[in-house]
């Protein structure tokens, strides 16, 4: 039994230690180092047998408005896009549950299908739509609604739209799962007792679906807060988010200790939502 | 009457939602056949950009890298993830189980940039040269978390008496596992492998952190082209990818349907 136990555990345990635990500890270690012009581009943690930890990177993060702005942008855009995903997701998921039973798997497949197409292509599609000479502006200009092209790319609007679009399927699925598990009799009872369908939806259906809605919100918020491709392609210098800042510090400025400190900060910020999500959704099976 | 009004709201929600999801993708496909160099002006039907694409060795090489990395990473991810799922469902409680499960799922829950920086630091401090292998290992770590969730869900729903019955009838533990559990798990294993493969094919962030000079994958290649601006070649390559994935997904769902129909 113990041999079998070890046999099952050995590979996943070693793998997780090597490719998850050690790398995360390395980030933590390097975040206390200082940048230097050498290979590797950071100072060792122990110098001449003494601990040489420095909190410079962390104090820099808190002092420089650049990083705080990136943090604010991340929370703002990810938050707005999460709200959009939840509202649209709730409407679509609800519509799917109301469709004839035989149609529901087909509709869900249609919703997930775009997720299987490359994420990059879907973001790219929006550049072609949103840019000044893009299709949306071309259509609006030729129909005479506007006489100057609207600035849609390189704005917060572009970033929120792009993130909402890319992550929408992830929001629909958990909401659908929690709506589909509800008995339709509950809303029927509310309607029999004099409620309007819309009131019954808000007062009965939505509160009961709260775990699914919360899971959907976290499922989209966490990756969006660290997003770097979408703000890079659809946003401009005004919409720099944490993920992009981390990237720039790491590759352009080659300040690995500062980038590591940023990664630690982002992880700490997302730790509570991430653990909540694990418990709600992913941990379901492991309990 | 109320019912009718509600259903028209639902129809509108579905139509708008699906339109929102599909319209951008459809436009990319349509404009990949555009004869004009301008992305927003229709200049007639042409396969010109596909020709440009297929005569560009850089894209073909990147596509080959993506397929190699994807297949190897998905296979490793399926192995690691499935063993993890078996450990969590079959071994009962063992010390550190929750922490271990949390860490194994961490790549799925944390933003990709963090896993990207973290694994890059690992390879740098071990002095491993960055290339196809480092991308593959990182993708396998990422994919294993997703495989774990899929396989575990299947294992939890499985009747443990099946394997016990096989043991009662004289099968050894390994034989019972291979002849009873593995076939029952097969749909989950295939789904997990396909998901890990697709995630690897799609990934820009992890790959751009851990790849080396000679190991550009297709998304990384497309990403650097997209940053320079919209071009009709990208439309063509996107359309090919969309077609490939659609065939894949349709085949997978047909296969899945057949196994369900066969069982009943």
């Amino acid at each position: 039994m113990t041999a079998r136990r070890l046999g099952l555990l050995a590979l996943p345990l070693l793998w997780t230690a090597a490719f998850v635990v050690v790398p995360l500890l390395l980030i933590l270690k390097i975040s206390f180092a200082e940048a230097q012009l050498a290979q590797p581009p950071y100072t060792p943690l122990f110098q001449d047998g003494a601990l040489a930890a420095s909190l410079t990177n962390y104090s820099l993060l808190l002092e420089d408005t650049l990083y705080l702005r990136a943090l604010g942008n991340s929370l703002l855009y990810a938050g707005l896009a999460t709200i959009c995903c939840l509202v649209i997701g709730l409407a679509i998921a609800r519509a799917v549950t109301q469709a004839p039973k035989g149609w529901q798997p087909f509709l869900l497949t249609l919703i997930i299908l775009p997720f299987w197409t490359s994420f990059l292509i879907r973001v790219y599609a929006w550049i072609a739509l949103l840019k000044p000479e893009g299709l949306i502006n071309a259509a609006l200009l030729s129909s005479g609604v506007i006489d100057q092209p609207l600035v849609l790319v390189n704005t917060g609007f572009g970033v929120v739209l792009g993130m909402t679009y890319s992550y929408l399927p992830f929001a629909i699925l958990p909401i659908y799962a929690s709506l589909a598990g509800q008995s339709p009799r509950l809303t029927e009872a509310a309607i029999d007792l004099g409620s309007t369908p819309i009131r019954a939806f808000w007062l009965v259906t939505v509160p009961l679906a709260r775990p699914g809605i919360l899971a959907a919100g976290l499922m989209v918020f966490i990756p969006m807060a660290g997003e770097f491709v979408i703000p890079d392609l659809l946003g401009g210098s005004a919409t720099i988010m944490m993920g992009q800042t981390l990237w720039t510090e790491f590759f352009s400025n080659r300040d690995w200790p500062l980038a590591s400190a940023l990664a630690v900060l982002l992880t700490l910020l997302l730790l509570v939502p991430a653990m909540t999500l694990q418990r709600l959704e992913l941990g379901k099976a492991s309990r | 009457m109320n019912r009718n009004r509600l259903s028209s709201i639902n129809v509108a929600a579905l139509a708008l939602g699906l339109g929102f999801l599909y319209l951008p993708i459809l436009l990319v496909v349509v404009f990949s056949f555009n004869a004009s160099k301008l992305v927003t002006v229709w200049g007639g039907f042409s396969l010109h950009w596909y020709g440009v694409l297929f005569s560009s060795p850089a894209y073909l090489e990147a596509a080959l890298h993506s397929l190699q990395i994807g297949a190897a990473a998905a296979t490793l991810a399926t192995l690691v993830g499935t063993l993890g799922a078996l450990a969590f469902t079959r071994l009962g409680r063992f010390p550190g189980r929750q922490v271990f499960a949390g860490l194994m799922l961490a790549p799925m829950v944390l933003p990709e940039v963090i896993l990207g920086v973290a694994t890059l630091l690992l390879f740098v401090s071990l002095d491993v040269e960055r290339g196809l292998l480092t991308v593959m290992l990182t993708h396998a770590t990422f994919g294993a978390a997703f495989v774990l969730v899929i396989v575990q869900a299947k294992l939890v729903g499985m009747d443990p008496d099946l394997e016990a019955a096989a043991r009662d009838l004289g099968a050894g533990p390994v034989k019972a596992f291979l002849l009873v559990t593995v076939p029952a798990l097969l749909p989950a294993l295939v789904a997990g492998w396909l998901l890990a493969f697709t995630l690897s094919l799609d990934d820009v962030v992890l790959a751009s952190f851990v790849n080396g000079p000679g190991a550009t994958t297709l998304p990384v290649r497309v990403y650097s082209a997209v940053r320079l601006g919209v071009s009709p070649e990208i439309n063509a390559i996107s359309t090919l990818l969309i077609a490939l994935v659609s065939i894949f997904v349709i085949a997978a769902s047909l296969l899945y349907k057949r196994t369900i129909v066969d069982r009943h």
Side-chain angles (χ1 to χ4, degrees):
Chain A
M1 182 61 202
T2 32
R4 193 179 148 216
R5 204 171 246 232
L6 275 176
L8 271 184
L9 275 172
L11 182 64
L13 206 56
L14 284 177
W15 190 282
T16 307
F19 294 109
V20 181
V21 179
V22 172
L24 289 176
L25 289 176
L26 274 172
I27 291 192
L28 192 64
K29 184 194 121 182
I30 293 167
S31 75
F32 294 116
E34 272 167 47
Q36 63 174 13
L37 271 172
Q39 197 58 256
Y42 51 86
T43 54
L45 194 57
F46 292 96
Q47 273 164 335
D48 310 320
L51 185 70
S54 137
L55 287 172
T56 331
N57 301 307
Y58 288 97
S59 58
L60 202 68
L61 288 185
L62 297 178
E63 278 160 24
D64 197 327
T65 51
L66 177 82
Y67 304 111
L68 289 179
R69 231 187 29 229
L71 177 64
N73 281 343
S74 288
L75 297 178
L76 175 69
Y77 296 130
L80 285 174
T82 302
I83 295 171
C84 294
C85 275
L86 290 182
V87 171
I88 303 173
L90 202 54
I92 296 179
R94 153 99 176 157
V96 175
T97 56
Q98 302 278 302
K101 269 273 179 286
W103 278 64
Q104 293 189 14
F106 172 69
L107 287 172
L108 283 178
T109 309
L110 270 184
I111 287 162
I112 308 166
L113 208 56
F115 155 78
W116 290 93
T117 30
S118 167
F119 164 77
L120 199 56
I121 293 170
R122 286 180 288 141
V123 178
Y124 161 79
W126 279 104
I127 305 178
L129 278 166
L130 294 177
K131 59 184 194 150
E133 64 278 16
L135 288 166
I136 290 178
N137 272 315
L140 288 176
L141 283 170
S142 67
S143 64
V145 178
I146 50 172
D147 48 12
Q148 284 287 316
L150 299 171
V151 185
L152 301 169
V153 179
N154 293 336
T155 59
F157 169 78
V159 176
V160 172
L161 179 67
M163 296 206 295
T164 304
Y165 178 73
S166 303
Y167 288 93
L168 187 58
F170 291 105
I172 295 176
L173 290 185
I175 298 179
Y176 169 79
S178 66
L179 288 183
Q182 274 180 41
S183 164
R185 300 213 174 149
L186 294 168
T187 24
E188 278 164 24
I191 293 169
D192 281 348
L193 293 168
S195 168
T196 63
I198 292 168
R199 250 177 84 88
F201 179 66
W202 278 117
L203 294 178
V204 178
T205 312
V206 171
L208 283 172
R210 219 164 56 197
I213 295 171
L214 184 60
L218 294 171
M219 199 106 117
V220 299
F221 178 80
I222 297 168
M224 288 196 292
E227 186 56 58
F228 116 88
V229 172
I230 298 173
D232 188 45
L233 293 179
L234 292 174
S237 50
T239 63
I240 304 273
M241 291 170 58
M242 290 282 272
Q244 273 168 297
T245 315
L246 202 154
W247 173 271
T248 315
E249 288 302 336
F250 205 91
F251 287 112
S252 308
N253 301 344
R254 284 190 68 77
D255 191 340
W256 291 19
L258 189 69
S260 302
L262 257 173
V264 172
L265 188 68
L266 190 59
T267 312
L268 286 179
L269 264 170
L270 295 176
L271 206 58
V272 172
M275 286 174 82
T276 316
L277 175 64
Q278 241 172 25
R279 193 163 302 166
L280 268 175
E281 197 56 20
L282 317 172
K284 230 183 241 167
S286 57
R287 235 173 285 140
Chain B
M1 190 204 135
N2 273 333
R3 194 164 279 250
N4 273 335
R5 221 185 71 206
L6 252 177
S7 72
S8 65
I9 291 175
N10 287 330
V11 169
L14 277 176
L16 284 174
L18 291 174
F20 178 56
L21 287 174
Y22 280 91
L23 214 60
I25 299 176
L26 276 178
L27 284 170
V28 168
V29 174
V30 169
F31 274 86
S32 76
F33 297 109
N34 192 2
S36 160
K37 200 179 155 57
L38 294 166
V39 184
T40 47
V41 181
W42 182 252
F45 180 86
S46 156
L47 288 173
H48 175 72
W49 302 111
Y50 290 89
V52 171
L53 196 66
F54 277 106
S55 52
S56 144
Y59 280 114
L60 293 178
E61 196 198 38
L64 189 66
H65 285 162
S66 277
L67 292 175
Q68 288 169 332
I69 290 173
T75 309
L76 257 176
T78 307
L79 185 67
V80 176
T82 306
L83 284 174
L86 281 168
F88 294 131
T89 44
R90 293 292 168 82
L91 297 185
R93 305 209 163 272
F94 54 88
R97 184 178 182 271
Q98 286 297 328
V99 178
F100 179 27
L103 286 168
M104 224 183 142
L105 289 172
M108 180 181 182
V109 179
L110 287 174
E112 275 175 78
V113 277
I114 291 176
L115 187 65
V117 172
T119 36
L120 174 57
L121 291 176
L122 173 77
F123 294 131
V124 168
S125 53
L126 290 178
D127 216 13
V128 176
E129 202 180 323
R130 280 176 270 156
L132 295 176
L133 181 72
T134 50
V135 180
M136 193 275 284
L137 289 172
T138 312
H139 282 178
T141 306
F142 188 55
F146 289 85
V147 173
L148 173 73
V149 171
I150 293 179
V151 175
Q152 201 167 33
K154 183 81 189 175
L155 273 171
V156 166
M158 233 169 84
D159 192 346
D161 289 346
L162 285 174
E163 214 181 297
R167 300 288 306 274
D168 280 350
L169 292 168
V174 176
K175 203 170 172 187
F177 178 73
L178 288 178
L179 290 179
V180 176
T181 311
V182 171
L185 275 184
L186 208 60
L189 296 179
V190 173
W193 192 92
L194 281 174
L195 183 59
F197 182 70
T198 315
L199 288 169
S200 168
L201 276 193
D202 198 22
D203 167 70
V204 197
V205 179
L206 297 175
S208 15
F209 271 101
V210 296
N211 73 357
T216 308
T217 59
L218 197 54
V220 173
R221 171 98 220 147
V222 172
Y223 184 55
S224 51
V226 169
R227 286 183 92 171
L228 296 177
V230 183
S231 85
E233 275 158 80
I234 306 288
N235 286 335
I237 201 163
S238 306
T239 305
L240 288 178
L241 281 174
I242 292 166
L244 193 75
V245 168
S246 310
I247 294 169
F248 229 140
V249 172
I250 291 167
S253 69
L254 285 179
L255 248 165
Y256 187 65
K257 229 175 226 162
R258 257 238 312 267
T259 50
I260 291 177
V261 173
D262 282 352
R263 218 174 282 154
H264 288 288

